[in-house]
Amino acid sequence: MVLPSRPDLEVVGAFNPGVTRHQDEVILLVRISEAPHKASSSIAAAPFYNAETRRLEIKRWPANEKGPDLSDSRLIVHQGRTWLTSISHLRIARSTDGIHFEVDGLPTFGPDSAYESFGIEDARITHLDGTYWINYTAVSDRGIATGLASTKDFKSFERHGIIFPPPNRDVAIFPEKIGGRYVALHRPMPEGLGHPAIWIATSPDLLSWGDHRLVATARPGNWDDVKIGGGAVPFKVRANRQDAWLAIYHGVTGSPPTYSLGALLLDQHDPSKVIGRSREAILRPETPYEREGFFGSVVFTCGALVEGDLVRIYYGAADGVTAVADLSLDGILSGLA
Amino acid sequence: MVLPSRPDLEVVGAFNPGVTRHQDEVILLVRISEAPHKASSSIAAAPFYNAETRRLEIKRWPANEKGPDLSDSRLIVHQGRTWLTSISHLRIARSTDGIHFEVDGLPTFGPDSAYESFGIEDARITHLDGTYWINYTAVSDRGIATGLASTKDFKSFERHGIIFPPPNRDVAIFPEKIGGRYVALHRPMPEGLGHPAIWIATSPDLLSWGDHRLVATARPGNWDDVKIGGGAVPFKVRANRQDAWLAIYHGVTGSPPTYSLGALLLDQHDPSKVIGRSREAILRPETPYEREGFFGSVVFTCGALVEGDLVRIYYGAADGVTAVADLSLDGILSGLA
């Protein structure tokens, strides 16, 4: 049971967690999405953080044919402006076995600026130089951008601002420097010229990013033919007698869309080079809780833990719940083309 | 007379120049756009740089009702992919009086990678630390991004890769460090959530950029109500007995769009703070060469030279020609609200 942050809100999702080990625990930073209690089906309501009053407020419209467009369960589109039907914050869940978790009763990390007025989503946690670096999606009417925070103890957090301007999400920072630079995958979202794709960037300090290069695009005729984006924090593997980086990513196909997971194998020294890619998805929405929910037919990961041949993927299902899947590393590697 | 770079191309535009002083000359880096010679009105042709063959090639379609969408004179849209009808490179023009220019016969700086397959556009030149830093729009089917190059002599150029991933253009780097950091305006182009707007970022090295913040958005009911973006490299002014930065930017209104110029006055120490903004446009398309051309009703600047009260704005008109306008700095400042 995940408690709401306020009595007038209900929790509609607890999903897309970032994951790491800290001391003797497995720690998740779960995206908790909340929506206003439904007073009536004839009212559309959008929660938002007001950076001036520093409070979460709720905007309401009559839900009739003259009212906003509600065709996407996640959105309220009205007079050319877009609002979200729910607002997310991050909350810690702790476990000693990696399977049974206790979720904190209060938000750990929530909206705190005009860049986060529609919420904070999809944390990835990278343990690096003794600090846990947490990148997250900062959503507002300024766009969908990526923010960075850090902590050493998961008690106090420091914010470092926006590291990738909109439209950009699905950032995953590598857990070590490569060639003397920090490295991250990111997912810009151009339209018209260009399409959402996985890019890479490097940084001298984790705060400023440059040398942007394209890594991978959607593949026509495959399970990832509509769009793709970064997923879990990449981890090092041994493949074909050499070290390489494995990045579990999400791919989208079809309409309505199906979100599945696959893997990219990236060169050890130059991870902009793709040396392998999953022919088929390694995880697809199959169970009822993956196929039906707030936004159905979605498996989406922000993190995995690896031990020997075990790749334990923590993932969000149908934008509603958190699930875990144990995969074989050898199995993932043998499915690369 | 601007010569084409190849005999099978014709120059269709020489516009949107970056400008600087170098030794005793005023130097423009003019965007030269070229299109394939029209063999017939029944053929649509898109020039592009092929990064594998390292050559400019031309793709052709029959221009009939089953063919591509040609409704925008700049674009060829076919089967969900977008091509450009022209391709741009940068070319130096030199002057001793700032008015009469001699344009080089050969390209100075042209497409050289897959990020530039549809051309290089809209240079801004910032003289900083003894080097001329040139940011430009890198256009390709990977998106519209911003690249960086540098030169000390306008003879040899060094490339520094993509500094702002797509969709992002209209970058203008400030000519000095502020608070120990390099600073740039940029213009991300989110859709759906967020709109094209002027943002600011800072950098330790000009190559990696972070701390992204919103500076200004389109203003409903004004000359800049559809979208805005950076223009000339900002310059320091004295206004209301304090130093500040003046940034001449472009604003768009109407449909079909009209591009005009205005000014932002930015705080000296924290240029993310807007302390003044032009109530009315300071330059609008009025003359025949501004109102009619390859893409009409456009004045668009990438640079200005300032001396005392004279603000000499170099600008592109109707995406076709380069023009110059002399404005009074006092006049610009008195029009700020």
Side-chain angles (χ1 to χ4, degrees):
Chain A
M1 179 71 188
V2 179
L3 298 175
S5 63
R6 290 207 325 203
D8 59 338
L9 299 175
E10 60 180 322
V11 173
V12 294
F15 60 115
N16 295 3
V19 61
T20 193
R21 293 180 209 278
H22 174 60
Q23 296 170 348
D24 298 333
E25 293 179 320
V26 174
I27 289 196
L28 302 182
L29 269 176
V30 187
R31 170 179 168 189
I32 306 294
S33 63
E34 299 178 297
H37 273 298
K38 274 244 155 139
S40 140
S41 65
S42 64
I43 299 288
F48 68 101
Y49 174 79
N50 184 329
E52 285 169 20
T53 62
R54 302 185 68 81
R55 282 178 57 82
L56 195 147
E57 300 176 4
I58 296 168
K59 187 169 169 68
R60 293 184 170 84
W61 299 260
N64 54 37
E65 65 276 9
K66 290 181 188 164
D69 176 357
L70 307 172
S71 57
D72 185 321
S73 63
R74 302 168 299 183
L75 307 179
I76 295 173
V77 180
H78 190 58
Q79 293 176 341
R81 293 188 63 180
T82 301
W83 304 71
L84 302 194
T85 55
S86 62
I87 187 167
S88 295
H89 63 263
L90 304 179
R91 206 180 293 193
I92 287 180
R94 299 167 191 278
S95 173
T96 50
D97 63 5
I99 298 291
H100 301 87
F101 283 88
E102 191 152 333
V103 183
D104 277 9
L106 292 172
T108 305
F109 193 84
D112 190 41
S113 79
Y115 300 92
E116 299 162 356
S117 62
F118 293 166
I120 286 184
E121 306 178 352
D122 301 351
R124 275 86 172 181
I125 309 170
T126 300
H127 192 203
L128 182 56
D129 297 347
T131 297
Y132 297 93
W133 297 90
I134 301 157
N135 65 260
Y136 59 86
T137 307
V139 186
S140 74
D141 58 5
R142 299 176 172 194
I144 297 169
T146 295
L148 184 69
S150 64
T151 185
K152 288 182 186 297
D153 55 11
F154 288 96
K155 288 173 190 152
S156 67
F157 295 82
E158 188 181 349
R159 288 176 192 251
H160 304 286
I162 300 296
I163 56 171
F164 291 96
N168 201 314
R169 68 190 311 171
D170 297 332
V171 169
I173 299 171
F174 286 66
E176 54 185 72
K177 283 189 180 181
I178 302 170
R181 306 267 297 180
Y182 299 104
V183 181
L185 300 177
H186 62 103
R187 209 281 299 273
M189 292 176 273
E191 296 188 37
L193 276 174
H195 302 284
I198 297 177
W199 287 57
I200 202 166
T202 69
S203 172
D205 56 11
L206 290 164
L207 308 178
S208 302
W209 294 87
D211 195 19
H212 300 273
R213 281 166 292 155
L214 181 72
V215 174
T217 59
R219 285 182 301 186
N222 280 278
W223 61 274
D224 52 0
D225 60 358
V226 170
K227 64 175 178 177
I228 62 172
V233 172
F235 51 90
K236 222 170 215 174
V237 298
R238 187 89 186 155
N240 297 324
R241 280 169 298 187
Q242 57 183 355
D243 286 342
W245 294 99
L246 196 79
I248 298 172
Y249 72 102
H250 71 268
V252 181
T253 190
S255 176
T258 295
Y259 282 68
S260 303
L261 301 179
L264 290 169
L265 192 68
L266 306 175
D267 183 86
Q268 172 190 11
H269 302 296
D270 178 3
S272 73
K273 287 188 193 159
V274 177
I275 55 181
R277 184 166 176 178
S278 297
R279 284 184 299 271
E280 299 296 332
I282 60 173
L283 193 71
R284 296 175 193 274
E286 289 173 355
T287 67
Y289 57 84
E290 293 163 348
R291 295 173 57 92
E292 285 151 43
F294 183 74
F295 191 77
S297 293
V298 171
V299 294
F300 186 98
T301 187
C302 295
L305 295 177
V306 184
E307 207 174 309
D309 186 57
L310 173 65
V311 179
R312 175 163 285 174
I313 300 178
Y314 295 86
Y315 66 98
D319 279 11
V321 297
T322 294
V324 64
D326 288 349
L327 276 71
S328 151
L329 178 57
D330 279 347
I332 294 172
L333 294 175
S334 67
L336 301 175
Chain B
M1 179 71 188
V2 179
L3 298 176
S5 63
R6 288 206 328 201
D8 59 338
L9 299 175
E10 60 180 323
V11 173
V12 294
F15 60 115
N16 295 3
V19 61
T20 193
R21 293 181 210 277
H22 175 59
Q23 295 170 347
D24 298 332
E25 292 180 319
V26 174
I27 289 196
L28 302 181
L29 269 175
V30 187
R31 170 178 169 190
I32 306 295
S33 63
E34 299 179 296
H37 272 298
K38 275 245 158 144
S40 141
S41 65
S42 64
I43 299 288
F48 68 101
Y49 174 80
N50 184 329
E52 286 170 19
T53 63
R54 303 186 67 82
R55 282 178 57 83
L56 195 148
E57 299 176 5
I58 295 167
K59 188 169 167 69
R60 293 184 170 84
W61 300 259
N64 54 38
E65 66 276 7
K66 289 182 188 162
D69 177 357
L70 307 172
S71 57
D72 184 320
S73 63
R74 302 168 300 183
L75 307 179
I76 296 173
V77 180
H78 190 58
Q79 293 176 341
R81 293 187 63 181
T82 300
W83 304 72
L84 302 194
T85 55
S86 62
I87 187 167
S88 295
H89 63 264
L90 303 180
R91 205 179 294 192
I92 285 179
R94 297 168 193 276
S95 172
T96 49
D97 64 5
I99 298 290
H100 301 87
F101 283 89
E102 191 152 332
V103 183
D104 275 9
L106 291 171
T108 305
F109 193 85
D112 190 42
S113 79
Y115 300 92
E116 300 162 357
S117 62
F118 293 165
I120 286 184
E121 306 178 350
D122 300 351
R124 275 87 172 179
I125 309 170
T126 300
H127 193 202
L128 182 57
D129 297 347
T131 297
Y132 297 92
W133 297 91
I134 301 157
N135 65 258
Y136 59 85
T137 307
V139 186
S140 74
D141 57 5
R142 299 176 171 193
I144 297 170
T146 295
L148 184 68
S150 64
T151 185
K152 287 184 186 295
D153 55 12
F154 287 96
K155 288 173 190 153
S156 67
F157 294 82
E158 188 181 351
R159 288 177 192 252
H160 305 285
I162 300 295
I163 55 171
F164 291 96
N168 201 313
R169 69 190 311 171
D170 296 332
V171 169
I173 299 171
F174 285 66
E176 54 185 72
K177 282 188 179 182
I178 302 169
R181 306 267 297 179
Y182 299 103
V183 180
L185 301 177
H186 63 102
R187 209 281 299 274
M189 292 175 273
E191 296 188 37
L193 276 173
H195 301 284
I198 296 176
W199 287 57
I200 202 165
T202 69
S203 172
D205 56 11
L206 290 164
L207 307 179
S208 302
W209 294 87
D211 195 19
H212 300 274
R213 281 166 291 156
L214 181 71
V215 173
T217 59
R219 286 182 300 186
N222 280 278
W223 61 273
D224 52 359
D225 60 358
V226 170
K227 65 175 178 178
I228 61 171
V233 172
F235 50 90
K236 221 171 216 172
V237 298
R238 188 90 187 156
N240 297 325
R241 280 168 298 185
Q242 59 182 353
D243 287 341
W245 294 99
L246 196 78
I248 298 172
Y249 71 102
H250 71 267
V252 182
T253 190
S255 177
T258 295
Y259 282 68
S260 303
L261 301 180
L264 289 169
L265 192 68
L266 305 174
D267 183 86
Q268 173 189 12
H269 302 296
D270 178 2
S272 74
K273 288 188 192 158
V274 177
I275 54 181
R277 185 167 175 178
S278 297
R279 285 185 298 271
E280 300 296 332
I282 59 173
L283 193 71
R284 298 177 191 272
E286 289 173 356
T287 67
Y289 57 85
E290 292 163 348
R291 294 172 58 91
E292 285 151 44
F294 184 73
F295 192 77
S297 294
V298 172
V299 294
F300 186 97
T301 187
C302 295
L305 294 178
V306 184
E307 207 173 308
D309 185 57
L310 173 65
V311 179
R312 177 163 283 174
I313 300 178
Y314 294 86
Y315 66 98
D319 278 13
V321 297
T322 293
V324 64
D326 287 349
L327 275 71
S328 151
L329 178 56
D330 279 347
I332 294 172
L333 293 176
S334 67
L336 301 175

